Amino acid sequence: MASIYFIIFVFMISRGSISFLRHASAFGGGGRLHQRRHTPNALVRLHASSTSVAHVGDTVSKDESSTTTNLLPYFSIYYNDVWEVDMPPGHRFPMSKYKKVRKAVQAHINDSEQQIQCDFRVSPLATFEQISTTHCKEYIQRYLSGHMTEAENRNIGFPWTLQHVNRTLSSTGGTVAAACDAYEEYIRRCNTLELDDSDDQTDNAHLCWSAHVAGGTHHAFRDYGEGFCIFSDIAVAANVLLQKFPHQSSTADPTKSKGIRRILIIDLDVHQGNGNAALFQGNDKVQTFSVHCRSNYFSKKEHSDLDIELPAGSTDDTYLTTLKHWLRRIEEHPFDDDSDQLPFDFIFYQAGVDIHKDDRLGRLSISQEGISKRNHLVFDFANRMRAPLVICMGGGYPKDDWAPILTAHAGVYIEAHQYLSSFGRDLT
């Protein structure tokens, strides 16, 4: 059976398509994902990204705007643990953490009083076209068709299987869908508020966040992968956004400019976001900011737009003081930006928790309380920037006791939900 699927797979690649399984691609299909037998909860609403995409300048009817004046904060959460992967015995990558984290987040949110618009969505498969905005086409095809060398697969850290191909595509596709979903909702709200001619809700129009309980694969380069990363989901999503929502300036009134001018990637994994640093080297439309451990490089150090190295063993006070300082510096002096507009139109947050003191591979010593405060600093920053935000999972490697790392991962999403809910309560 596997050989049959492989033949079909290669055939589809030769036709320029990679979404050959029974799932909608990120923006195609009939508007809803097919519900697979792996779907774990019948109460979860499964949606594809909107097929009727809101483009810059689109408008909605006055009747529609009158029904949406009170705009609750928005939080869509994508997950890809339906794409199961059978790992080799004893493999050190904690593949089962994704489902455990998603279930914990889902249980907490389902039990909480809803003050925001929030639902869970299965991550779609990324398309070849989306991935090729960032990665070499020959590399993509070799990976998808199973023609990677043993050395390449060892460098990545995973054996090649069809199961893992699907997981890789959904890991990228979920972040792309989350990013487009958040920005499309932001456009819809801005258009609605313009028609409604009301300033009452303007301060909350940007509170359109999305998250992916996966992704954060920041060690992928243009034509190779490493550190459990094949494709960079955040880089692909950023490039798709820039293509899909190009900036349209207004010389008469800069505040009326549309589209995405510049994106910020905040990478707080214990390891440098070396892949994203290399992928966006010299690209002033995407700024990369990485805070990481000075003594935890496993390959060549790259140069982000802003790299902050912390010594091994750093604790909460050092970490939080440093992060707060540099977020303020970025806010006040955003990479020499001299525009009259807000400096960033979109933000990605790589929320790795391998900075935790109980992480197996990390070399920092941050407590759970410190990680929660870190998250809040990023949420406050995104709010001040008035920019939609996408949160990705990043690294987290449990020791024998998985509880601290699972709690830290789940906390990122639960705390984002709570943060947005604090604004929602003011509208209900």
Side-chain angles (χ1 to χ4, degrees), residues 96-113:
S96 62
K97 75 174 182 177
Y98 296 93
K99 181 174 288 187
K100 294 177 187 295
V101 171
R102 189 263 303 166
K103 285 185 173 181
V105 174
Q106 192 172 333
H108 181 91
I109 289 177
N110 285 345
D111 290 341
S112 64
E113 183 179 352

Side-chain angles (χ1 to χ4, degrees), residues 283-394:
N283 185 342
D284 60 3
K285 293 183 178 180
V286 180
Q287 305 293 329
T288 53
F289 168 44
S290 179
V291 180
H292 49 270
C293 181
R294 178 184 301 158
S295 57
N296 211 341
Y297 293 93
F298 56 84
S299 64
K300 176 190 171 185
K301 176 182 175 180
E302 301 291 341
H303 296 286
S304 308
D305 291 293
L306 178 59
D307 284 305
I308 305 300
E309 297 179 321
L310 294 173
S314 293
T315 56
D316 291 8
D317 286 346
T318 299
Y319 189 95
L320 295 171
T321 300
T322 302
L323 176 61
K324 184 176 182 179
H325 169 80
W326 285 106
L327 287 174
R328 281 292 185 186
R329 286 287 300 272
I330 292 172
E331 186 175 353
E332 294 167 0
H333 306 284
F335 303 98
D336 299 322
D337 183 60
D338 59 358
S339 170
D340 293 332
Q341 303 172 62
L342 288 167
F344 305 106
D345 300 303
F346 203 91
I347 298 172
F348 288 94
Y349 174 27
Q350 205 275 21
V353 301
D354 42 8
I355 63 172
H356 197 287
K357 60 186 179 64
D358 291 325
D359 190 88
R360 176 165 47 89
L361 300 182
R363 295 180 182 174
L364 298 181
S365 189
I366 312 304
S367 69
Q368 177 55 51
E369 181 182 4
I371 292 175
S372 294
K373 290 180 178 179
R374 173 201 74 168
N375 297 335
H376 202 278
L377 286 173
V378 175
F379 300 156
D380 275 341
F381 174 83
N383 186 28
R384 292 196 303 271
M385 291 295 96
R386 303 181 57 78
L389 174 72
V390 163
I391 302 165
C392 296
M393 194 165 182

Side-chain angles (χ1 to χ4, degrees), residues 10 17 26 30 50 56 85 105 140 146 157 164 198 250 311 338 401-402 420:
V10 175
S17 172
S50 172
V56 175
V85 178
V105 174
I140 301 170
H164 215 108
S198 171
S250 172
D338 59 358
D401 181 7
W402 283 44
L420 291 173

Side-chain angles (χ1 to χ4, degrees), residues 94-393:
M95 187 66 72
S96 62
K97 75 174 182 177
Y98 296 93
K99 181 174 288 187
K100 294 177 187 295
V101 171
R102 189 263 303 166
K103 285 185 173 181
V105 174
Q106 192 172 333
H108 181 91
I109 289 177
N110 285 345
D111 290 341
S112 64
E113 183 179 352
Q114 289 292 332
Q115 305 288 351
I116 65 175
Q117 299 179 51
C118 178
D119 59 11
F120 288 77
R121 308 175 181 188
V122 172
S123 304
L125 301 179
T127 66
F128 186 93
E129 290 74 18
Q130 289 168 347
I131 300 172
S132 62
T133 62
T134 304
H135 295 282
C136 169
K137 291 182 179 180
E138 188 267 342
Y139 167 61
I140 301 170
Q141 290 171 337
R142 286 197 304 108
Y143 174 74
L144 296 177
S145 60
H147 288 101
M148 302 281 282
T149 66
E150 290 186 12
E152 287 176 312
N153 286 326
R154 280 197 304 271
N155 200 48
I156 289 170
F158 293 128
W160 186 93
T161 66
L162 285 176
Q163 283 183 326
H164 215 108
V165 168
N166 291 327
R167 181 190 175 273
T168 298
L169 295 179
S170 64
S171 182
T172 302
T175 301
V176 171
C180 290
D181 181 40
Y183 198 72
E184 287 163 10
E185 178 64 17
Y186 173 67
I187 292 174
R188 186 193 70 78
R189 290 171 179 237
C190 289
N191 290 339
T192 296
L193 290 168
E194 287 180 7
L195 288 177
D196 198 37
D197 196 25
S198 171
D199 294 329
D200 293 343
Q201 308 300 327
T202 302
D203 287 343
N204 289 330
H206 63 285
L207 293 177
C208 305
W209 294 4
S210 288
H212 195 194
V213 190
T217 50
H218 59 167
H219 300 309
F221 290 77
R222 182 176 179 271
D223 56 0
Y224 69 94
E226 64 179 32
F228 305 130
C229 302
I230 295 97
F231 304 131
S232 173
D233 61 306
I234 290 177
V236 171
N239 284 323
V240 169
L241 284 177
L242 290 169
Q243 284 190 358
K244 197 174 186 66
F245 306 103
H247 183 246
Q248 300 175 10
S249 61
S250 172
T251 55
D253 183 358
T255 64
K256 299 297 183 182
S257 297
K258 302 290 186 180
I260 296 177
R261 183 175 61 95
R262 197 160 64 157
I263 293 169
L264 174 65
I265 299 173
I266 300 174
D267 191 323
L268 302 186
D269 195 273
V270 78
H271 302 102
Q272 185 199 36
N274 56 343
N276 289 336
L279 288 167
F280 292 113
Q281 192 72 42
N283 185 342
D284 60 3
K285 293 183 178 180
V286 180
Q287 305 293 329
T288 53
F289 168 44
S290 179
V291 180
H292 49 270
C293 181
R294 178 184 301 158
S295 57
N296 211 341
Y297 293 93
F298 56 84
S299 64
K300 176 190 171 185
K301 176 182 175 180
E302 301 291 341
H303 296 286
S304 308
D305 291 293
L306 178 59
D307 284 305
I308 305 300
E309 297 179 321
L310 294 173
S314 293
T315 56
D316 291 8
D317 286 346
T318 299
Y319 189 95
L320 295 171
T321 300
T322 302
L323 176 61
K324 184 176 182 179
H325 169 80
W326 285 106
L327 287 174
R328 281 292 185 186
R329 286 287 300 272
I330 292 172
E331 186 175 353
E332 294 167 0
H333 306 284
F335 303 98
D336 299 322
D337 183 60
D338 59 358
S339 170
D340 293 332
Q341 303 172 62
L342 288 167
F344 305 106
D345 300 303
F346 203 91
I347 298 172
F348 288 94
Y349 174 27
Q350 205 275 21
V353 301
D354 42 8
I355 63 172
H356 197 287
K357 60 186 179 64
D358 291 325
D359 190 88
R360 176 165 47 89
L361 300 182
R363 295 180 182 174
L364 298 181
S365 189
I366 312 304
S367 69
Q368 177 55 51
E369 181 182 4
I371 292 175
S372 294
K373 290 180 178 179
R374 173 201 74 168
N375 297 335
H376 202 278
L377 286 173
V378 175
F379 300 156
D380 275 341
F381 174 83
N383 186 28
R384 292 196 303 271
M385 291 295 96
R386 303 181 57 78
L389 174 72
V390 163
I391 302 165
C392 296
M393 194 165 182

